[in-house]
Amino acid sequence: MELRPILSTLRRHKTTAWLLILEIALTCAIVCNAVFMINHRLQHMEMPTGIDEHALVQIQLAEVTPSPDIYARAREDLAVIRQVPGVLDVALVNQLPLGGSSSNASIKLDPEQRQPTLSAGTYFGGNLAQTMGLRLLAGRHLQPDEVLDADVVLKALATGDTKVIAPVTVITQAMAQRLWPGADALGKTIYVGPVGVRVVGVVADLARANAYDDATAHYSMILPMFMGAGKDQSYLIRTRPQDRQAVLKAAVAALKKADPRRVVTEQRTYDEVRDKFFENDRSMAGILVGAIAALLIVTALGIVGLASFWVAQRRRTIGVRRALGATRRNILNYFQTENLLLATIGIVLGMVLAYAINLFLMLHYELPRLPAIYFPVGAIALWLIGQLAVLGPALRAAAVPPVVATRSV
Amino acid sequence: MFGYYLDLALRSLKRNKVLTALMVIAIAVGIGASMTTLTVMHLLSGDPVPTRSGTLFYPQVDGNPTPGDFKQPLDVMDYQSAVDLWGAHRADAQTLVVDSPVRLSAPGVNLPTLMPSMLSTTSDFFPMFDVPFRYGSGWSADDDARHARVAVISDDLNHKLFGGRDSVGQVLRLRDTDVRIVGVLRSWRPSPVFYTVAGGRFANGDTADFYGKTQDVFTPFFTGLELNDGNFQQFTCWHMPERPGHLQNSPCAWVRLWVQLGDAGKVAAYKQFLDGYAAQQASLGRIVRPQNTRLRSLMQWLDYNGVVPGDVRLQTWLAFAFLAICLFNMIGLLLAKFLRRSGEIGVRRALGASRGAVFAQCLVEAGLVGLIGGIGGLGLTLLGLWLVRRQPVAYADLAHLDVSMFVATFVTAIAASLLAGVLPAFRASRVAPGLQLKTL
């Protein structure tokens, strides 16, 4: 295909051609970034938690009158739940991965440090690791005799008499790698406030309750403390996935029977916890998909509109070309090549712009760098859309009969 | 003349219906997207108490006794600092604020027990924040001091419990304590619920929950602490509190203080008082960073917390980029359209029309497209807001078009299309009449 006639025609319609190029460039830049953001959200939504998600249900209760002994109360409840058919295991938990409301602690490697090394999610509980189905990579889980009532621990900490408590913890692989890169974490000591705590186990993963930031989402530790009944504590039940609804219903009924004066503030499967946590990301991804579709349609319509105009404007010229021996295919190819040329310039500009927008987003929205793969994929998508949009007008141009040349306006 | 141009524009638009439709759709979609996000942005970044916000301030002292180089004080205060500063009564008005979930039932009302959120605050809260009452009023400073068993309830709760009638004098049971209702609020929906905003800078832009509904029950501060003891939530603690949920004299930050200061002199004086208090507490050894005090105004505090959700800001950027693309589209189409009429324009110029007249005629046509696009855009904006209302976000119910945004929709649509029309109209007005006539 000869490019020179196309270029000389475009030179006579410089402004219009540039407008189309700019439109394609802007669309290309925005679509690349929007697709990237969708991908980023989807990836975030797939965040692993390290727990056996489809086997877990949560029940949270609010007390009518405060129990005189919250520890005895929680133990009774645990015993009641354990009696429910279908319950495989149950634990009292202070937070859930992706639960939203979180409990965190600043961790230091040396008590004299001015700034903490990192902030980690703090899970309290005894058989929490077993109930959640955490995978142990090294060391051991917490032993039942190490788990003490929160009162005892707090009193020991307040008086400084730390002999009665067992300051041990199980941490996640991600946290161990961050604290001691490449080294074995077992037996090492971290400081939670002034208290030195020895690492006795490392689990593969346990996501935090407030896992907003992918970089720190997997820094969690389990401390051997039994919190007792309270409004922020909940019972986490492990069952078979197919029994979840039945077990949830039966467990709530059993707890209500044990004390009818309580309010159930939460009863849900873990899948619902995850769904709720990522609700905003899901709707944002939906909005972005809609925006991309609308953008591409508007751009395609713009191409259709301009191409139709050019075809109508050049009807006579086309007729002359046909009369001089150009085939229909020649005319079709002419308009297709013209569009390809404009789209290519637009895409090159668009890539530069996409990169610039990405830099801006990296500054303001903590997005990572746009992977290079988006550039060729974005280019192919826009080429295709350009070709599809121009096909209709180009076919109409090809259908212009040579006899047009002989007519005056 | 304008009437004539309008007539010409209508004829020209009718001549090529497909192209006109393309332009109108482009402008309508662009306007619809950008006005939807702009309305949401306008709702979320507005002033929650327009009558008072200039005089409301949020004092902070750094109550965390842990040594370290912390540049900012904690977002909320420890009990002692907050109550000391409140008790000093150095501002025109001051109020303590803390919220907690409470179990609520109403004797004689056949409803299951509710778990609404309760705000424990002091008497100045209602006049300070210009809170509207439907029945009754707030309580007095004396009630604060006596730990009186009184409460104010929201319009929502009044509807739920008493069907919206005057319930002043009725009794509510909050956990195990009976309180007497002294006031019922008119529907009040500050956006955001500014007086409990804190910790926004740790939320990674996920701040939609600041825009929820207000608490349903308001009780005097100390009354609330007594009747719901054990159910309070700390913002943060530097040690574990001895009894979870009981936070008076605990090593925790959990109470907010708001003050009202009438003029700049008072603001300066209050900041001095705040510094003085921190220095005095430092000499007692209770505070280790006395220089870490702040007195931000309400709007500064909201800004510091980045209350407008990151997603909303992103959507606004996206929508305006979208509008820009729609405009490019329209400029191209208008240009093609006007230049195609070069012959007609040449005749008009040859018959004596000035360049300005041709320019004006073309702009009228562009503006007409904008007006029709604006009507379409309004429909799409309403559709967009309806979609926002169906989103699972706390501010969903706020998303309605107000008069200013309604007007803004048309102004933006016409301004955008006139802007898009300038270049094509200019090019059209430069058409050389002689050349065109020759080719005819």
Side-chain angles (χ1 to χ4, degrees), chain A residues 15 19 23 30 41 64-65 114-115 154 231-232 280 283-284 295 298 302 309 365, chain B residues 19 69 103 176 206 231 233 240-241 311 313 315 321-322 325 329 331 340 391-392 427:
Chain A
T15 325
L19 282 170
E23 190 182 338
I30 292 170
R41 299 254 169 179
V64 163
T65 42
R114 298 282 283 175
Q115 294 278 350
L154 293 173
K231 70 174 174 57
D232 299 322
N280 284 340
S283 69
M284 188 66 195
L295 263 182
V298 166
F309 249 98
Y365 291 92
Chain B
L19 195 79
D69 310 317
R103 194 173 48 80
D176 294 320
D206 215 341
N231 278 322
Q233 178 77 50
M240 283 286 277
D311 281 355
R313 278 181 290 143
Q315 283 162 16
F322 192 72
I325 288 178
N329 202 333
I331 296 175
R340 191 157 181 240
Q391 296 283 313
R427 290 289 300 272

mmCIF file of all heavy atoms in Angstrom, chain A residues 15 19 23 30 41 64-65 114-115 154 231-232 280 283-284 295 298 302 309 365, chain B residues 19 69 103 176 206 231 233 240-241 311 313 315 321-322 325 329 331 340 391-392 427:
data_model
loop_
_atom_site.group_PDB
_atom_site.id
_atom_site.type_symbol
_atom_site.label_atom_id
_atom_site.label_comp_id
_atom_site.label_asym_id
_atom_site.label_seq_id
_atom_site.Cartn_x
_atom_site.Cartn_y
_atom_site.Cartn_z
ATOM 1 N N THR A 15 -5.727 19.391 11.436
ATOM 2 C CA THR A 15 -6.380 19.576 12.735
ATOM 3 C C THR A 15 -7.253 18.371 13.073
ATOM 4 O O THR A 15 -7.159 17.816 14.162
ATOM 5 C CB THR A 15 -7.251 20.845 12.717
ATOM 6 O OG1 THR A 15 -6.599 21.798 11.909
ATOM 7 C CG2 THR A 15 -7.454 21.367 14.094
ATOM 8 N N LEU A 19 -6.803 15.719 16.141
ATOM 9 C CA LEU A 19 -7.842 15.520 17.162
ATOM 10 C C LEU A 19 -8.104 14.041 17.365
ATOM 11 O O LEU A 19 -8.193 13.546 18.482
ATOM 12 C CB LEU A 19 -9.132 16.223 16.738
ATOM 13 C CG LEU A 19 -9.110 17.730 16.963
ATOM 14 C CD1 LEU A 19 -10.317 18.368 16.308
ATOM 15 C CD2 LEU A 19 -9.096 18.023 18.457
ATOM 16 N N GLU A 23 -7.426 11.858 20.706
ATOM 17 C CA GLU A 23 -8.505 11.089 21.335
ATOM 18 C C GLU A 23 -8.057 9.647 21.561
ATOM 19 O O GLU A 23 -8.236 9.086 22.634
ATOM 20 C CB GLU A 23 -9.758 11.132 20.451
ATOM 21 C CG GLU A 23 -10.960 10.561 21.163
ATOM 22 C CD GLU A 23 -12.196 10.543 20.275
ATOM 23 O OE1 GLU A 23 -12.243 11.324 19.308
ATOM 24 O OE2 GLU A 23 -13.092 9.746 20.551
ATOM 25 N N ILE A 30 -5.741 6.015 29.337
ATOM 26 C CA ILE A 30 -6.677 5.770 30.436
ATOM 27 C C ILE A 30 -7.036 4.294 30.507
ATOM 28 O O ILE A 30 -7.071 3.704 31.583
ATOM 29 C CB ILE A 30 -7.921 6.659 30.289
ATOM 30 C CG1 ILE A 30 -7.507 8.109 30.522
ATOM 31 C CG2 ILE A 30 -8.990 6.263 31.285
ATOM 32 C CD1 ILE A 30 -8.562 9.097 30.187
ATOM 33 N N ARG A 41 -6.806 -4.520 41.807
ATOM 34 C CA ARG A 41 -7.888 -4.771 42.776
ATOM 35 C C ARG A 41 -8.205 -6.251 42.852
ATOM 36 O O ARG A 41 -8.403 -6.807 43.924
ATOM 37 C CB ARG A 41 -9.165 -4.030 42.367
ATOM 38 C CG ARG A 41 -8.995 -2.555 42.302
ATOM 39 C CD ARG A 41 -9.658 -1.857 43.456
ATOM 40 N NE ARG A 41 -9.220 -0.477 43.468
ATOM 41 C CZ ARG A 41 -9.628 0.421 44.330
ATOM 42 N NH1 ARG A 41 -10.473 0.086 45.264
ATOM 43 N NH2 ARG A 41 -9.182 1.640 44.289
ATOM 44 N N VAL A 64 -25.910 -9.093 78.093
ATOM 45 C CA VAL A 64 -26.916 -8.212 78.650
ATOM 46 C C VAL A 64 -26.370 -7.551 79.912
ATOM 47 O O VAL A 64 -26.257 -6.345 80.023
ATOM 48 C CB VAL A 64 -28.195 -8.997 78.959
ATOM 49 C CG1 VAL A 64 -29.081 -8.204 79.890
ATOM 50 C CG2 VAL A 64 -28.904 -9.297 77.669
ATOM 51 N N THR A 65 -25.997 -8.371 80.858
ATOM 52 C CA THR A 65 -25.348 -7.865 82.063
ATOM 53 C C THR A 65 -23.940 -8.436 82.062
ATOM 54 O O THR A 65 -23.743 -9.567 81.639
ATOM 55 C CB THR A 65 -26.084 -8.338 83.325
ATOM 56 O OG1 THR A 65 -26.438 -9.707 83.121
ATOM 57 C CG2 THR A 65 -27.309 -7.536 83.591
ATOM 58 N N ARG A 114 14.179 3.414 69.356
ATOM 59 C CA ARG A 114 13.319 4.596 69.416
ATOM 60 C C ARG A 114 12.044 4.378 68.602
ATOM 61 O O ARG A 114 10.975 4.838 68.972
ATOM 62 C CB ARG A 114 14.044 5.831 68.875
ATOM 63 C CG ARG A 114 15.280 6.214 69.655
ATOM 64 C CD ARG A 114 14.951 6.938 70.932
ATOM 65 N NE ARG A 114 14.585 8.334 70.709
ATOM 66 C CZ ARG A 114 14.163 9.131 71.704
ATOM 67 N NH1 ARG A 114 14.055 8.645 72.928
ATOM 68 N NH2 ARG A 114 13.854 10.380 71.457
ATOM 69 N N GLN A 115 12.164 3.737 67.458
ATOM 70 C CA GLN A 115 11.006 3.484 66.588
ATOM 71 C C GLN A 115 10.789 1.983 66.492
ATOM 72 O O GLN A 115 11.757 1.240 66.370
ATOM 73 C CB GLN A 115 11.277 4.018 65.171
ATOM 74 C CG GLN A 115 11.404 5.528 65.072
ATOM 75 C CD GLN A 115 10.056 6.219 65.013
ATOM 76 O OE1 GLN A 115 9.031 5.569 64.865
ATOM 77 N NE2 GLN A 115 10.047 7.534 65.163
ATOM 78 N N LEU A 154 -2.100 -9.667 82.563
ATOM 79 C CA LEU A 154 -2.013 -8.222 82.760
ATOM 80 C C LEU A 154 -1.497 -7.887 84.145
ATOM 81 O O LEU A 154 -0.707 -6.961 84.321
ATOM 82 C CB LEU A 154 -3.391 -7.585 82.529
ATOM 83 C CG LEU A 154 -3.857 -7.671 81.076
ATOM 84 C CD1 LEU A 154 -5.280 -7.179 80.954
ATOM 85 C CD2 LEU A 154 -2.938 -6.868 80.178
ATOM 86 N N LYS A 231 -17.511 -8.005 74.149
ATOM 87 C CA LYS A 231 -18.197 -7.633 72.916
ATOM 88 C C LYS A 231 -17.304 -7.726 71.675
ATOM 89 O O LYS A 231 -17.791 -7.833 70.564
ATOM 90 C CB LYS A 231 -18.778 -6.226 73.044
ATOM 91 C CG LYS A 231 -17.719 -5.150 73.071
ATOM 92 C CD LYS A 231 -18.319 -3.778 73.060
ATOM 93 C CE LYS A 231 -17.256 -2.718 73.244
ATOM 94 N NZ LYS A 231 -16.171 -2.742 72.269
ATOM 95 N N ASP A 232 -15.960 -7.660 71.867
ATOM 96 C CA ASP A 232 -15.088 -7.727 70.698
ATOM 97 C C ASP A 232 -14.633 -9.154 70.391
ATOM 98 O O ASP A 232 -13.970 -9.394 69.396
ATOM 99 C CB ASP A 232 -13.855 -6.856 70.910
ATOM 100 C CG ASP A 232 -14.245 -5.409 71.093
ATOM 101 O OD1 ASP A 232 -15.184 -4.987 70.390
ATOM 102 O OD2 ASP A 232 -13.652 -4.729 71.936
ATOM 103 N N ASN A 280 -15.914 -2.912 48.661
ATOM 104 C CA ASN A 280 -15.580 -1.674 47.951
ATOM 105 C C ASN A 280 -14.720 -1.941 46.735
ATOM 106 O O ASN A 280 -14.902 -1.326 45.695
ATOM 107 C CB ASN A 280 -14.824 -0.722 48.874
ATOM 108 C CG ASN A 280 -15.749 -0.055 49.845
ATOM 109 O OD1 ASN A 280 -16.951 -0.002 49.608
ATOM 110 N ND2 ASN A 280 -15.210 0.431 50.936
ATOM 111 N N SER A 283 -16.859 -3.267 43.909
ATOM 112 C CA SER A 283 -17.697 -2.299 43.199
ATOM 113 C C SER A 283 -16.829 -1.331 42.400
ATOM 114 O O SER A 283 -17.198 -0.908 41.314
ATOM 115 C CB SER A 283 -18.640 -1.571 44.154
ATOM 116 O OG SER A 283 -17.926 -0.729 45.000
ATOM 117 N N MET A 284 -15.632 -1.011 42.928
ATOM 118 C CA MET A 284 -14.737 -0.117 42.182
ATOM 119 C C MET A 284 -14.282 -0.803 40.894
ATOM 120 O O MET A 284 -14.220 -0.156 39.840
ATOM 121 C CB MET A 284 -13.535 0.240 43.056
ATOM 122 C CG MET A 284 -12.642 1.296 42.457
ATOM 123 S SD MET A 284 -13.448 2.914 42.335
ATOM 124 C CE MET A 284 -12.338 3.741 41.215
ATOM 125 N N LEU A 295 -15.634 4.292 27.428
ATOM 126 C CA LEU A 295 -14.563 5.025 26.748
ATOM 127 C C LEU A 295 -14.308 4.464 25.359
ATOM 128 O O LEU A 295 -14.193 5.208 24.384
ATOM 129 C CB LEU A 295 -13.270 4.866 27.548
ATOM 130 C CG LEU A 295 -12.911 5.975 28.498
ATOM 131 C CD1 LEU A 295 -11.592 5.682 29.169
ATOM 132 C CD2 LEU A 295 -12.803 7.264 27.715
ATOM 133 N N VAL A 298 -17.164 5.328 23.030
ATOM 134 C CA VAL A 298 -17.146 6.733 22.596
ATOM 135 C C VAL A 298 -16.056 6.953 21.553
ATOM 136 O O VAL A 298 -16.277 7.599 20.520
ATOM 137 C CB VAL A 298 -16.956 7.663 23.814
ATOM 138 C CG1 VAL A 298 -16.601 9.073 23.363
ATOM 139 C CG2 VAL A 298 -18.216 7.692 24.652
ATOM 140 N N GLY A 302 -16.456 8.049 17.686
ATOM 141 C CA GLY A 302 -15.750 9.198 17.140
ATOM 142 C C GLY A 302 -15.070 8.840 15.829
ATOM 143 O O GLY A 302 -15.129 9.598 14.850
ATOM 144 N N PHE A 309 -17.440 11.102 7.601
ATOM 145 C CA PHE A 309 -17.353 12.418 7.012
ATOM 146 C C PHE A 309 -16.347 12.478 5.898
ATOM 147 O O PHE A 309 -16.595 13.028 4.831
ATOM 148 C CB PHE A 309 -17.019 13.455 8.079
ATOM 149 C CG PHE A 309 -18.173 14.330 8.291
ATOM 150 C CD1 PHE A 309 -19.040 14.100 9.334
ATOM 151 C CD2 PHE A 309 -18.443 15.345 7.384
ATOM 152 C CE1 PHE A 309 -20.132 14.868 9.492
ATOM 153 C CE2 PHE A 309 -19.551 16.127 7.547
ATOM 154 C CZ PHE A 309 -20.400 15.889 8.599
ATOM 155 N N TYR A 365 -1.657 7.166 44.860
ATOM 156 C CA TYR A 365 -2.524 6.047 45.241
ATOM 157 C C TYR A 365 -1.741 4.777 45.551
ATOM 158 O O TYR A 365 -2.297 3.695 45.613
ATOM 159 C CB TYR A 365 -3.552 5.770 44.133
ATOM 160 C CG TYR A 365 -4.566 6.866 44.018
ATOM 161 C CD1 TYR A 365 -4.384 7.913 43.157
ATOM 162 C CD2 TYR A 365 -5.694 6.864 44.828
ATOM 163 C CE1 TYR A 365 -5.291 8.936 43.071
ATOM 164 C CE2 TYR A 365 -6.609 7.886 44.754
ATOM 165 C CZ TYR A 365 -6.410 8.919 43.868
ATOM 166 O OH TYR A 365 -7.323 9.931 43.795
ATOM 167 N N LEU B 19 -24.874 12.018 12.863
ATOM 168 C CA LEU B 19 -23.750 12.753 13.427
ATOM 169 C C LEU B 19 -24.183 13.569 14.642
ATOM 170 O O LEU B 19 -23.498 13.602 15.665
ATOM 171 C CB LEU B 19 -23.180 13.677 12.357
ATOM 172 C CG LEU B 19 -21.813 14.186 12.757
ATOM 173 C CD1 LEU B 19 -20.773 13.131 12.491
ATOM 174 C CD2 LEU B 19 -21.502 15.456 12.018
ATOM 175 N N ASP B 69 10.383 9.267 68.738
ATOM 176 C CA ASP B 69 10.319 10.501 67.942
ATOM 177 C C ASP B 69 9.019 10.545 67.172
ATOM 178 O O ASP B 69 9.028 10.425 65.956
ATOM 179 C CB ASP B 69 11.495 10.560 66.958
ATOM 180 C CG ASP B 69 12.808 10.300 67.665
ATOM 181 O OD1 ASP B 69 12.974 10.864 68.761
ATOM 182 O OD2 ASP B 69 13.633 9.527 67.139
ATOM 183 N N ARG B 103 -26.687 -1.734 74.568
ATOM 184 C CA ARG B 103 -27.898 -2.526 74.421
ATOM 185 C C ARG B 103 -29.081 -1.668 74.839
ATOM 186 O O ARG B 103 -29.046 -1.051 75.902
ATOM 187 C CB ARG B 103 -27.811 -3.761 75.302
ATOM 188 C CG ARG B 103 -28.833 -4.834 75.003
ATOM 189 C CD ARG B 103 -28.533 -6.053 75.823
ATOM 190 N NE ARG B 103 -28.311 -5.683 77.213
ATOM 191 C CZ ARG B 103 -29.277 -5.443 78.081
ATOM 192 N NH1 ARG B 103 -30.533 -5.546 77.731
ATOM 193 N NH2 ARG B 103 -28.988 -5.109 79.313
ATOM 194 N N ASP B 176 -28.508 -1.629 81.772
ATOM 195 C CA ASP B 176 -29.355 -1.900 82.935
ATOM 196 C C ASP B 176 -29.849 -0.634 83.597
ATOM 197 O O ASP B 176 -30.334 -0.661 84.726
ATOM 198 C CB ASP B 176 -28.568 -2.722 83.958
ATOM 199 C CG ASP B 176 -28.256 -4.092 83.405
ATOM 200 O OD1 ASP B 176 -29.130 -4.671 82.741
ATOM 201 O OD2 ASP B 176 -27.132 -4.557 83.608
ATOM 202 N N ASP B 206 -9.463 4.311 52.622
ATOM 203 C CA ASP B 206 -10.705 3.563 52.799
ATOM 204 C C ASP B 206 -11.539 4.241 53.892
ATOM 205 O O ASP B 206 -11.714 3.703 54.975
ATOM 206 C CB ASP B 206 -10.349 2.133 53.210
ATOM 207 C CG ASP B 206 -11.318 1.143 52.616
ATOM 208 O OD1 ASP B 206 -12.408 1.576 52.215
ATOM 209 O OD2 ASP B 206 -10.980 -0.046 52.575
ATOM 210 N N ASN B 231 -17.640 -1.385 77.986
ATOM 211 C CA ASN B 231 -17.940 -1.526 76.563
ATOM 212 C C ASN B 231 -17.295 -0.451 75.706
ATOM 213 O O ASN B 231 -17.712 -0.205 74.592
ATOM 214 C CB ASN B 231 -19.453 -1.482 76.347
ATOM 215 C CG ASN B 231 -20.066 -2.829 76.621
ATOM 216 O OD1 ASN B 231 -19.479 -3.854 76.285
ATOM 217 N ND2 ASN B 231 -21.217 -2.844 77.261
ATOM 218 N N GLN B 233 -14.260 1.366 73.544
ATOM 219 C CA GLN B 233 -13.228 0.885 72.626
ATOM 220 C C GLN B 233 -12.113 1.920 72.586
ATOM 221 O O GLN B 233 -12.372 3.092 72.381
ATOM 222 C CB GLN B 233 -13.854 0.726 71.237
ATOM 223 C CG GLN B 233 -12.907 0.277 70.168
ATOM 224 C CD GLN B 233 -12.632 -1.217 70.279
ATOM 225 O OE1 GLN B 233 -13.547 -2.015 70.366
ATOM 226 N NE2 GLN B 233 -11.357 -1.573 70.304
ATOM 227 N N MET B 240 -1.616 -2.849 77.755
ATOM 228 C CA MET B 240 -2.952 -3.429 77.797
ATOM 229 C C MET B 240 -3.700 -2.797 78.969
ATOM 230 O O MET B 240 -3.153 -2.675 80.056
ATOM 231 C CB MET B 240 -2.865 -4.937 78.029
ATOM 232 C CG MET B 240 -2.467 -5.700 76.799
ATOM 233 S SD MET B 240 -3.814 -5.793 75.636
ATOM 234 C CE MET B 240 -4.709 -7.181 76.306
ATOM 235 N N PRO B 241 -4.964 -2.362 78.766
ATOM 236 C CA PRO B 241 -5.724 -1.858 79.911
ATOM 237 C C PRO B 241 -6.019 -3.014 80.872
ATOM 238 O O PRO B 241 -6.121 -4.158 80.444
ATOM 239 C CB PRO B 241 -7.006 -1.317 79.272
ATOM 240 C CG PRO B 241 -7.115 -2.007 77.967
ATOM 241 C CD PRO B 241 -5.728 -2.358 77.529
ATOM 242 N N ASP B 311 -11.158 6.156 46.635
ATOM 243 C CA ASP B 311 -11.891 5.662 45.462
ATOM 244 C C ASP B 311 -12.709 6.766 44.815
ATOM 245 O O ASP B 311 -12.817 6.841 43.596
ATOM 246 C CB ASP B 311 -12.852 4.532 45.871
ATOM 247 C CG ASP B 311 -12.106 3.222 46.030
ATOM 248 O OD1 ASP B 311 -10.894 3.212 45.733
ATOM 249 O OD2 ASP B 311 -12.728 2.239 46.438
ATOM 250 N N ARG B 313 -12.072 10.013 44.870
ATOM 251 C CA ARG B 313 -11.177 10.936 44.162
ATOM 252 C C ARG B 313 -10.742 10.323 42.832
ATOM 253 O O ARG B 313 -10.709 10.995 41.808
ATOM 254 C CB ARG B 313 -9.965 11.263 45.035
ATOM 255 C CG ARG B 313 -10.282 12.359 46.045
ATOM 256 C CD ARG B 313 -9.083 12.702 46.883
ATOM 257 N NE ARG B 313 -8.784 11.607 47.798
ATOM 258 C CZ ARG B 313 -7.554 11.246 48.128
ATOM 259 N NH1 ARG B 313 -6.522 11.863 47.604
ATOM 260 N NH2 ARG B 313 -7.373 10.264 48.974
ATOM 261 N N GLN B 315 -12.389 8.122 41.057
ATOM 262 C CA GLN B 315 -13.519 8.137 40.128
ATOM 263 C C GLN B 315 -13.685 9.515 39.508
ATOM 264 O O GLN B 315 -14.027 9.639 38.337
ATOM 265 C CB GLN B 315 -14.807 7.749 40.860
ATOM 266 C CG GLN B 315 -14.912 6.260 41.125
ATOM 267 C CD GLN B 315 -15.930 5.954 42.201
ATOM 268 O OE1 GLN B 315 -16.760 6.780 42.546
ATOM 269 N NE2 GLN B 315 -15.850 4.750 42.756
ATOM 270 N N ALA B 321 -11.328 12.753 32.870
ATOM 271 C CA ALA B 321 -10.567 12.291 31.712
ATOM 272 C C ALA B 321 -11.550 11.841 30.627
ATOM 273 O O ALA B 321 -11.361 12.093 29.436
ATOM 274 C CB ALA B 321 -9.662 11.150 32.112
ATOM 275 N N PHE B 322 -12.599 11.221 31.065
ATOM 276 C CA PHE B 322 -13.636 10.731 30.173
ATOM 277 C C PHE B 322 -14.305 11.889 29.444
ATOM 278 O O PHE B 322 -14.497 11.867 28.228
ATOM 279 C CB PHE B 322 -14.648 9.981 31.039
ATOM 280 C CG PHE B 322 -15.621 9.190 30.263
ATOM 281 C CD1 PHE B 322 -15.218 8.038 29.630
ATOM 282 C CD2 PHE B 322 -16.938 9.577 30.176
ATOM 283 C CE1 PHE B 322 -16.114 7.297 28.914
ATOM 284 C CE2 PHE B 322 -17.842 8.844 29.461
ATOM 285 C CZ PHE B 322 -17.429 7.696 28.828
ATOM 286 N N ILE B 325 -12.102 13.187 26.748
ATOM 287 C CA ILE B 325 -12.142 12.372 25.530
ATOM 288 C C ILE B 325 -13.410 12.676 24.733
ATOM 289 O O ILE B 325 -13.378 12.837 23.509
ATOM 290 C CB ILE B 325 -12.053 10.881 25.880
ATOM 291 C CG1 ILE B 325 -10.641 10.583 26.340
ATOM 292 C CG2 ILE B 325 -12.428 10.008 24.700
ATOM 293 C CD1 ILE B 325 -10.402 9.191 26.771
ATOM 294 N N ASN B 329 -13.623 14.219 20.921
ATOM 295 C CA ASN B 329 -14.502 13.583 19.971
ATOM 296 C C ASN B 329 -15.401 14.618 19.298
ATOM 297 O O ASN B 329 -15.536 14.682 18.087
ATOM 298 C CB ASN B 329 -15.360 12.597 20.765
ATOM 299 C CG ASN B 329 -15.915 11.528 19.902
ATOM 300 O OD1 ASN B 329 -16.092 11.745 18.720
ATOM 301 N ND2 ASN B 329 -16.188 10.376 20.471
ATOM 302 N N ILE B 331 -15.025 17.930 19.215
ATOM 303 C CA ILE B 331 -14.291 18.926 18.425
ATOM 304 C C ILE B 331 -14.076 18.376 17.016
ATOM 305 O O ILE B 331 -14.338 19.060 16.016
ATOM 306 C CB ILE B 331 -12.925 19.256 19.071
ATOM 307 C CG1 ILE B 331 -13.129 19.914 20.433
ATOM 308 C CG2 ILE B 331 -12.129 20.194 18.170
ATOM 309 C CD1 ILE B 331 -11.844 20.168 21.193
ATOM 310 N N ARG B 340 -17.301 20.950 6.140
ATOM 311 C CA ARG B 340 -18.019 20.363 5.028
ATOM 312 C C ARG B 340 -19.009 21.378 4.445
ATOM 313 O O ARG B 340 -19.393 21.296 3.281
ATOM 314 C CB ARG B 340 -18.769 19.123 5.508
ATOM 315 C CG ARG B 340 -19.295 18.367 4.323
ATOM 316 C CD ARG B 340 -19.548 16.945 4.619
ATOM 317 N NE ARG B 340 -20.031 16.359 3.387
ATOM 318 C CZ ARG B 340 -21.210 15.785 3.265
ATOM 319 N NH1 ARG B 340 -22.003 15.686 4.297
ATOM 320 N NH2 ARG B 340 -21.592 15.301 2.121
ATOM 321 N N GLN B 391 -24.790 1.268 45.770
ATOM 322 C CA GLN B 391 -23.472 0.757 46.148
ATOM 323 C C GLN B 391 -23.453 0.472 47.651
ATOM 324 O O GLN B 391 -24.133 1.143 48.417
ATOM 325 C CB GLN B 391 -22.394 1.813 45.852
ATOM 326 C CG GLN B 391 -22.247 2.152 44.396
ATOM 327 C CD GLN B 391 -21.483 1.085 43.655
ATOM 328 O OE1 GLN B 391 -20.451 0.641 44.091
ATOM 329 N NE2 GLN B 391 -22.015 0.651 42.536
ATOM 330 N N PRO B 392 -22.637 -0.513 48.063
ATOM 331 C CA PRO B 392 -22.573 -0.821 49.493
ATOM 332 C C PRO B 392 -21.641 0.132 50.235
ATOM 333 O O PRO B 392 -20.635 -0.282 50.784
ATOM 334 C CB PRO B 392 -22.021 -2.249 49.494
ATOM 335 C CG PRO B 392 -21.185 -2.317 48.259
ATOM 336 C CD PRO B 392 -21.825 -1.417 47.250
ATOM 337 N N ARG B 427 -12.105 28.021 12.653
ATOM 338 C CA ARG B 427 -11.671 27.528 11.339
ATOM 339 C C ARG B 427 -12.718 27.834 10.269
ATOM 340 O O ARG B 427 -12.388 28.225 9.159
ATOM 341 C CB ARG B 427 -11.403 26.024 11.397
ATOM 342 C CG ARG B 427 -10.168 25.659 12.198
ATOM 343 C CD ARG B 427 -8.891 26.056 11.472
ATOM 344 N NE ARG B 427 -8.784 25.392 10.191
ATOM 345 C CZ ARG B 427 -8.221 24.198 10.031
ATOM 346 N NH1 ARG B 427 -7.680 23.585 11.055
ATOM 347 N NH2 ARG B 427 -8.186 23.632 8.842
#
